[in-house]
Amino acid sequence: MDCHHVYYLALLQGLTEFLPISSAAHLILMPVIFGWHDQGLAFDVAVHIGTLTAVVVYYAGALRDMAEAWFRSIAGKGMSTDARLAWYVILGTIPVGIAGLVANDYVETVLRNPVVIATSTIVFALVLWLAQKVSTERRTDADLNWKDALVVGVCQAVALIPGTSRSGITITGGLFLGLDRKAAARFSFLLSIPVTALAGLLKTYELIQSGQAVSWWNMFLGALLSGIVAYVTIDWFLKLLDRTGMLPFVVYRLILGGVLFYVFLPH
């Protein structure tokens, strides 16, 4: 990879990972649009490690409280709000784990094409818009129950379809359940930690098995840049939700989907 490919792809991953616009779609499409070689498995591992680090650092205090409360709950010392939230993150991760094991090969081959991305970009933009319109937004993450966690977890499994957006569909699920915007986004971001870690481990295993040559400098730079940008993006996105809601991202997705159809469908 050329250096400017590393910069642009890392910046793109950091910017889009936690926005409801699908980072996977953008990482697939950028090389296609600009005629670059695919960045390869090693680089995908690196930038995902970067964005995983960003969300762990951003929520370090909350994660520490959740972990301590979770261990206390196992020891029979009560079920606090933080303990329940930790259990719900674990529960919400199960559906995507099962779906990934069952459908990973199909997703990585058949569904990785611009027409699927364009379709899911538009369809789930409209679903996100509808969720914001009908949501009561009267609940916080303290009001979550195990059914909510399971519903949002199933939504996360749907995000295996390229173009869906993991954060977008999980926030959509939270809004449909009546969570306020910040609570839906926060649970979505917390839910991203185990699934991103597991996906990173799986991709690392695949990388080792493939025997692919690795440019460690590109990987380090990609992880660093994507992590810094992702950290800033999380903070910016949560503040933006209060002012504008989801409409700007809905509009962006509709425009992007239309452009993709125009570019990639035969005329």
Side-chain angles (χ1 to χ4, degrees), residues 38-46 202-208 210 212 219:
D38 187 272
Q39 61 269 21
L41 181 59
F43 190 76
D44 281 354
V45 170
L202 176 61
K203 286 181 178 294
T204 300
Y205 173 76
E206 292 174 356
L207 176 62
I208 293 170
S210 70
Q212 178 180 331
M219 290 184 69

Side-chain angles (χ1 to χ4, degrees), residues 14 50 91 113 120 130 218 226 233 248 254:
L91 178 61
N113 74 76
S120 56
L130 178 62
N218 284 348
S226 64
T233 300
L254 292 174

